PDB file of all heavy atoms in Angstrom:
ATOM      1  N   VAL A 164      -9.881  -4.497   7.794  1.00  0.00           N
ATOM      2  CA  VAL A 164     -10.392  -4.458   9.174  1.00  0.00           C
ATOM      3  C   VAL A 164      -9.452  -5.310  10.018  1.00  0.00           C
ATOM      4  O   VAL A 164      -9.162  -6.469   9.716  1.00  0.00           O
ATOM      5  CB  VAL A 164     -11.804  -5.034   9.275  1.00  0.00           C
ATOM      6  CG1 VAL A 164     -12.323  -4.890  10.694  1.00  0.00           C
ATOM      7  CG2 VAL A 164     -12.741  -4.322   8.291  1.00  0.00           C
ATOM      8  N   ILE A 165      -8.885  -4.724  11.065  1.00  0.00           N
ATOM      9  CA  ILE A 165      -7.937  -5.407  11.897  1.00  0.00           C
ATOM     10  C   ILE A 165      -8.610  -6.512  12.701  1.00  0.00           C
ATOM     11  O   ILE A 165      -9.642  -6.270  13.351  1.00  0.00           O
ATOM     12  CB  ILE A 165      -7.203  -4.401  12.881  1.00  0.00           C
ATOM     13  CG1 ILE A 165      -6.413  -3.387  12.043  1.00  0.00           C
ATOM     14  CG2 ILE A 165      -6.326  -5.143  13.859  1.00  0.00           C
ATOM     15  CD1 ILE A 165      -5.878  -2.242  12.885  1.00  0.00           C
ATOM     16  N   GLU A 166      -8.055  -7.707  12.618  1.00  0.00           N
ATOM     17  CA  GLU A 166      -8.653  -8.828  13.314  1.00  0.00           C
ATOM     18  C   GLU A 166      -8.680  -8.593  14.831  1.00  0.00           C
ATOM     19  O   GLU A 166      -7.698  -8.138  15.422  1.00  0.00           O
ATOM     20  CB  GLU A 166      -7.811 -10.082  13.011  1.00  0.00           C
ATOM     21  CG  GLU A 166      -8.448 -11.349  13.555  1.00  0.00           C
ATOM     22  CD  GLU A 166      -7.703 -12.613  13.118  1.00  0.00           C
ATOM     23  OE1 GLU A 166      -6.807 -12.496  12.229  1.00  0.00           O
ATOM     24  OE2 GLU A 166      -7.994 -13.700  13.652  1.00  0.00           O
ATOM     25  N   GLY A 167      -9.830  -8.867  15.416  1.00  0.00           N
ATOM     26  CA  GLY A 167     -10.023  -8.707  16.854  1.00  0.00           C
ATOM     27  C   GLY A 167     -10.387  -7.309  17.280  1.00  0.00           C
ATOM     28  O   GLY A 167     -10.645  -7.088  18.501  1.00  0.00           O
ATOM     29  N   SER A 168     -10.470  -6.342  16.331  1.00  0.00           N
ATOM     30  CA  SER A 168     -10.774  -4.994  16.670  1.00  0.00           C
ATOM     31  C   SER A 168     -12.289  -4.805  16.865  1.00  0.00           C
ATOM     32  O   SER A 168     -13.080  -5.734  16.522  1.00  0.00           O
ATOM     33  CB  SER A 168     -10.346  -4.013  15.569  1.00  0.00           C
ATOM     34  OG  SER A 168     -11.088  -4.300  14.364  1.00  0.00           O
ATOM     35  N   PRO A 169     -12.760  -3.686  17.419  1.00  0.00           N
ATOM     36  CA  PRO A 169     -14.223  -3.483  17.608  1.00  0.00           C
ATOM     37  C   PRO A 169     -15.015  -3.632  16.310  1.00  0.00           C
ATOM     38  O   PRO A 169     -16.062  -4.241  16.294  1.00  0.00           O
ATOM     39  CB  PRO A 169     -14.281  -2.035  18.120  1.00  0.00           C
ATOM     40  CG  PRO A 169     -12.997  -1.832  18.850  1.00  0.00           C
ATOM     41  CD  PRO A 169     -11.982  -2.590  18.028  1.00  0.00           C
ATOM     42  N   ALA A 170     -14.503  -3.066  15.215  1.00  0.00           N
ATOM     43  CA  ALA A 170     -15.210  -3.151  13.921  1.00  0.00           C
ATOM     44  C   ALA A 170     -15.245  -4.603  13.426  1.00  0.00           C
ATOM     45  O   ALA A 170     -16.249  -5.065  12.883  1.00  0.00           O
ATOM     46  CB  ALA A 170     -14.534  -2.271  12.894  1.00  0.00           C
ATOM     47  N   TYR A 171     -14.152  -5.292  13.601  1.00  0.00           N
ATOM     48  CA  TYR A 171     -14.107  -6.762  13.209  1.00  0.00           C
ATOM     49  C   TYR A 171     -15.149  -7.552  13.946  1.00  0.00           C
ATOM     50  O   TYR A 171     -15.868  -8.358  13.342  1.00  0.00           O
ATOM     51  CB  TYR A 171     -12.665  -7.255  13.445  1.00  0.00           C
ATOM     52  CG  TYR A 171     -12.459  -8.698  13.034  1.00  0.00           C
ATOM     53  CD1 TYR A 171     -11.981  -8.995  11.741  1.00  0.00           C
ATOM     54  CD2 TYR A 171     -12.674  -9.744  13.934  1.00  0.00           C
ATOM     55  CE1 TYR A 171     -11.759 -10.318  11.395  1.00  0.00           C
ATOM     56  CE2 TYR A 171     -12.462 -11.070  13.555  1.00  0.00           C
ATOM     57  CZ  TYR A 171     -11.985 -11.326  12.289  1.00  0.00           C
ATOM     58  OH  TYR A 171     -11.782 -12.648  11.932  1.00  0.00           O
ATOM     59  N   ILE A 172     -15.179  -7.381  15.243  1.00  0.00           N
ATOM     60  CA  ILE A 172     -16.117  -8.108  16.083  1.00  0.00           C
ATOM     61  C   ILE A 172     -17.584  -7.771  15.727  1.00  0.00           C
ATOM     62  O   ILE A 172     -18.489  -8.616  15.765  1.00  0.00           O
ATOM     63  CB  ILE A 172     -15.875  -7.821  17.579  1.00  0.00           C
ATOM     64  CG1 ILE A 172     -14.464  -8.379  17.984  1.00  0.00           C
ATOM     65  CG2 ILE A 172     -16.946  -8.432  18.451  1.00  0.00           C
ATOM     66  CD1 ILE A 172     -14.029  -7.963  19.355  1.00  0.00           C
ATOM     67  N   ALA A 173     -17.823  -6.509  15.326  1.00  0.00           N
ATOM     68  CA  ALA A 173     -19.171  -6.054  14.965  1.00  0.00           C
ATOM     69  C   ALA A 173     -19.584  -6.563  13.569  1.00  0.00           C
ATOM     70  O   ALA A 173     -20.787  -6.457  13.224  1.00  0.00           O
ATOM     71  CB  ALA A 173     -19.223  -4.530  14.982  1.00  0.00           C
ATOM     72  N   GLY A 174     -18.674  -7.125  12.800  1.00  0.00           N
ATOM     73  CA  GLY A 174     -19.023  -7.685  11.495  1.00  0.00           C
ATOM     74  C   GLY A 174     -18.719  -6.772  10.313  1.00  0.00           C
ATOM     75  O   GLY A 174     -19.166  -7.076   9.209  1.00  0.00           O
ATOM     76  N   VAL A 175     -17.972  -5.713  10.531  1.00  0.00           N
ATOM     77  CA  VAL A 175     -17.536  -4.876   9.381  1.00  0.00           C
ATOM     78  C   VAL A 175     -16.575  -5.660   8.546  1.00  0.00           C
ATOM     79  O   VAL A 175     -15.663  -6.373   9.074  1.00  0.00           O
ATOM     80  CB  VAL A 175     -16.884  -3.604   9.913  1.00  0.00           C
ATOM     81  CG1 VAL A 175     -16.451  -2.703   8.733  1.00  0.00           C
ATOM     82  CG2 VAL A 175     -17.839  -2.800  10.811  1.00  0.00           C
ATOM     83  N   LYS A 176     -16.692  -5.549   7.214  1.00  0.00           N
ATOM     84  CA  LYS A 176     -15.862  -6.355   6.312  1.00  0.00           C
ATOM     85  C   LYS A 176     -15.178  -5.505   5.238  1.00  0.00           C
ATOM     86  O   LYS A 176     -15.732  -4.466   4.828  1.00  0.00           O
ATOM     87  CB  LYS A 176     -16.713  -7.434   5.608  1.00  0.00           C
ATOM     88  CG  LYS A 176     -17.338  -8.439   6.563  1.00  0.00           C
ATOM     89  CD  LYS A 176     -18.121  -9.502   5.842  1.00  0.00           C
ATOM     90  CE  LYS A 176     -18.732 -10.486   6.787  1.00  0.00           C
ATOM     91  NZ  LYS A 176     -17.736 -11.220   7.554  1.00  0.00           N
ATOM     92  N   PRO A 177     -14.003  -5.926   4.808  1.00  0.00           N
ATOM     93  CA  PRO A 177     -13.341  -5.246   3.672  1.00  0.00           C
ATOM     94  C   PRO A 177     -14.261  -5.268   2.460  1.00  0.00           C
ATOM     95  O   PRO A 177     -14.932  -6.276   2.202  1.00  0.00           O
ATOM     96  CB  PRO A 177     -12.093  -6.082   3.410  1.00  0.00           C
ATOM     97  CG  PRO A 177     -11.762  -6.756   4.715  1.00  0.00           C
ATOM     98  CD  PRO A 177     -13.133  -7.026   5.356  1.00  0.00           C
ATOM     99  N   GLY A 178     -14.328  -4.169   1.730  1.00  0.00           N
ATOM    100  CA  GLY A 178     -15.204  -4.059   0.620  1.00  0.00           C
ATOM    101  C   GLY A 178     -16.503  -3.308   0.905  1.00  0.00           C
ATOM    102  O   GLY A 178     -17.208  -2.902  -0.035  1.00  0.00           O
ATOM    103  N   ASP A 179     -16.875  -3.232   2.183  1.00  0.00           N
ATOM    104  CA  ASP A 179     -18.067  -2.468   2.555  1.00  0.00           C
ATOM    105  C   ASP A 179     -17.919  -1.035   2.155  1.00  0.00           C
ATOM    106  O   ASP A 179     -16.868  -0.402   2.369  1.00  0.00           O
ATOM    107  CB  ASP A 179     -18.301  -2.527   4.058  1.00  0.00           C
ATOM    108  CG  ASP A 179     -18.787  -3.894   4.554  1.00  0.00           C
ATOM    109  OD1 ASP A 179     -19.127  -4.705   3.719  1.00  0.00           O
ATOM    110  OD2 ASP A 179     -18.804  -4.104   5.784  1.00  0.00           O
ATOM    111  N   LYS A 180     -18.949  -0.456   1.576  1.00  0.00           N
ATOM    112  CA  LYS A 180     -18.986   0.962   1.203  1.00  0.00           C
ATOM    113  C   LYS A 180     -19.749   1.743   2.317  1.00  0.00           C
ATOM    114  O   LYS A 180     -20.866   1.385   2.584  1.00  0.00           O
ATOM    115  CB  LYS A 180     -19.635   1.175  -0.129  1.00  0.00           C
ATOM    116  CG  LYS A 180     -19.674   2.615  -0.602  1.00  0.00           C
ATOM    117  CD  LYS A 180     -20.365   2.779  -1.932  1.00  0.00           C
ATOM    118  CE  LYS A 180     -20.420   4.240  -2.369  1.00  0.00           C
ATOM    119  NZ  LYS A 180     -21.070   4.376  -3.702  1.00  0.00           N
TER     120      LYS A 180
END
Side-chain angles (χ1 to χ4, degrees):
V164 184
I165 296 171
E166 187 173 350
S168 66
Y171 181 91
I172 295 171
V175 180
K176 297 183 181 297
D179 288 348
K180 180 179 178 180

